[in-house]
Amino acid sequence: MDADEFRVAAKQLTDYIADYIEGLRDRPVLPDVQPGYINALVPASAPETGEPWEKLFNDIEGVVMRGMTHWHSPRFHAYFPTANSYPAICGDMLSAAIACIGFTWNAAPSCTELEMKMMDWLAQMLALPEHFCFSSGQGGGVIQGTASESTLIALLCARVQLLKERGLQHKVTDADDEGNEAKYEVMSRLVAYTSSQAHSSVQKAAMLSATRIRLLPVDEANGLSLDADVLAKTIEQDRRKGLIPFIVIATLGTTNTCAFDNLQTIGPVCKDKAVFSKQENIWLHVDAAYAGSAFICPEYRQYMEGIEYADSFTMNPHKWLLVNFDVNAFWVKNKELIEKAFNVHPEYLKHENEGKIPDYRHWQIPLGRRFRSLKMWFVFRSYGVSGLQNHIRKQIELAHLFGDLLQKDDRFEMVDQIRMGLVCFRLKGNNAMNEELINSINKSGDIFLTPTKVKERFIIRFAVCARTTNEKDIHYSWNVIKKFADSVLAKWNS
Ligand SMILES: *Cc1c(COP(=O)(O)O)cnc(C)c1O
């Protein structure tokens, strides 16, 4: 494909993209395919000679769309939303064209500096404490691929900080065997804490770093949030056993039910040296992957009260803030720690501007990184803060509309209150009925819902996801749910 062919192809694809997004309402949200469906459609090996664009373009529908779950259909109510907007798509196009690898400042100065600026913008939009901003001179933010990576990095940073506090060298050295022994002995006694409702990525981070983790029971009377008393007692018991508590991972907006941990009660347990005299501070990492976007609206900031206790904070603009995947935002209070913690310094990456400005390679697991702040810049400028606030408020309103419809039908019950854009509900009755309901709905491909289980209770989650979802769509989805409930109940009652 040469430049002239690219102009034609890209224009054709741009029209296709706009038609696809605007036409999503008319496609079944779930595809009707079985695993391995692609074998009949795509040959086993790559073509020997190049094919024309027209042939490629013609296969988009038959191969890709045929087997696609349409995440941006207004009938998609599963999981949590993933972001999609036109300015973000433009940002990704430009990023693909520049195709730089911004691992150091020198390697791509605007890639580093625009990212720093966007992370400061976003921290301000969310009203995070000043110390997370580069402008404060203390902390700073970075784009990671996913919240899962941020949580792993927070855990690794916390471990480095603890080793440093104990005067132990965390870096890999071959000379100092004795120091290494002491390091590994301490590492074997570390304990992390989170709630039973935390995202699976928290457990995974513990597995990946070979760290002991406690999944603490939650306070059911208090909206499934982590109980600070249970946390404090467990920490005390562990210390008595000779273990070393070093990090607590709190969640603002759990994936199951959008439950919020209370940072005002958890924070002091991590930081209050008067309670645990002569003990280290415990790192507090806050995972607000989904709900964090709502903090751009002042009326939701009460949910993050106590955020000043946090050492690191993460949320996903790629979930609810209209910036397409993959943009996870991760801030640390002390940037010096992260910059030094994983700093490996080969000759080929050295440059004369080191130390003046972040080299983001130290802030993440991979070396390479794309120019992802472009899509934040485009989205923040084209919507403005008020446009993004409208998006969040509209989606929460739609969740309440769904809740109202549900509550008028006494065959259903809502599980707890509506939190953000998520409604958890079930048919009054047993788990099997509810399982049958959701299975029959999803099998129809008309709308898409996902379930969860809390304390052995089967719950159906209804999340407002697509940017284009409107009132009519909510009524449509509700009618689909009612229709399938009619037949499930008819069967169970006969
Ligand atoms: C979605 C979610 C995650 C995982 O997000 P990724 O960016 O896909 O890693 C983590 N925590 C919570 C609370 C989530 O809702």
Side-chain angles (χ1 to χ4, degrees), residues 315-437:
M315 51 78 70
N316 278 342
H318 70 222
K319 267 191 174 147
W320 208 15
L321 214 53
L322 300 179
V323 185
N324 291 39
F325 196 86
D326 51 342
V327 172
N328 161 266
F330 176 64
W331 289 271
V332 285
K333 193 172 173 176
N334 173 1
K335 70 171 158 31
E336 205 185 311
L337 181 86
I338 194 171
E339 274 168 343
K340 292 193 178 146
F342 317 112
N343 189 331
V344 182
H345 211 49
E347 206 55 45
Y348 47 81
L349 294 174
K350 290 184 180 163
H351 63 88
E352 68 279 13
N353 292 304
E354 275 170 20
K356 293 181 192 154
I357 201 148
D359 283 333
Y360 271 133
R361 69 187 176 96
H362 302 312
W363 296 55
Q364 60 173 18
I365 295 166
L367 174 66
R369 55 201 331 274
R370 297 194 300 129
F371 199 160
R372 289 176 290 204
S373 60
L374 281 172
K375 51 189 167 182
M376 295 170 89
W377 194 42
F378 285 5
V379 168
F380 296 168
R381 291 179 67 190
S382 80
Y383 280 87
V385 176
S386 65
L388 294 169
Q389 288 171 332
N390 290 344
H391 168 66
I392 297 286
R393 288 177 179 140
K394 174 83 190 170
Q395 295 227 312
I396 294 175
E397 251 170 54
L398 291 172
H400 283 269
L401 169 62
F402 181 80
D404 291 344
L405 294 168
L406 184 89
Q407 280 180 318
K408 282 190 200 126
D409 188 329
D410 62 10
R411 299 172 302 169
F412 290 91
E413 60 184 335
M414 212 143 85
V415 179
D416 214 329
Q417 69 206 66
I418 297 169
R419 291 207 169 83
M420 302 301 167
L422 179 69
V423 187
C424 294
F425 71 97
R426 62 200 308 279
L427 275 172
K428 290 174 185 163
N430 59 33
N431 282 355
M433 280 164 64
N434 280 285
E435 223 170 316
E436 217 174 290
L437 175 63

Side-chain angles (χ1 to χ4, degrees), residues 80 145-149 199 201 251 253-255 287-290 316 318-319 325 328:
F80 270 145
T146 59
S148 311
E149 289 161 75
H199 190 261
S201 57
T251 313
T254 61
T255 317
D287 173 7
Y290 163 69
N316 278 342
H318 70 222
K319 267 191 174 147
F325 196 86
N328 161 266

Side-chain angles (χ1 to χ4, degrees), residues 62 68 156 198 206 245 261 280 286 302 325-326 328 347 355 386 438 442 444 446 462 475:
M68 184 47 63
L156 299 173
D261 290 339
E280 290 101 345
V286 176
Q302 81 235 24
F325 196 86
D326 51 342
N328 161 266
E347 206 55 45
S386 65
I438 194 170
N442 287 344
S444 77
D446 239 2
F462 181 96
H475 283 278

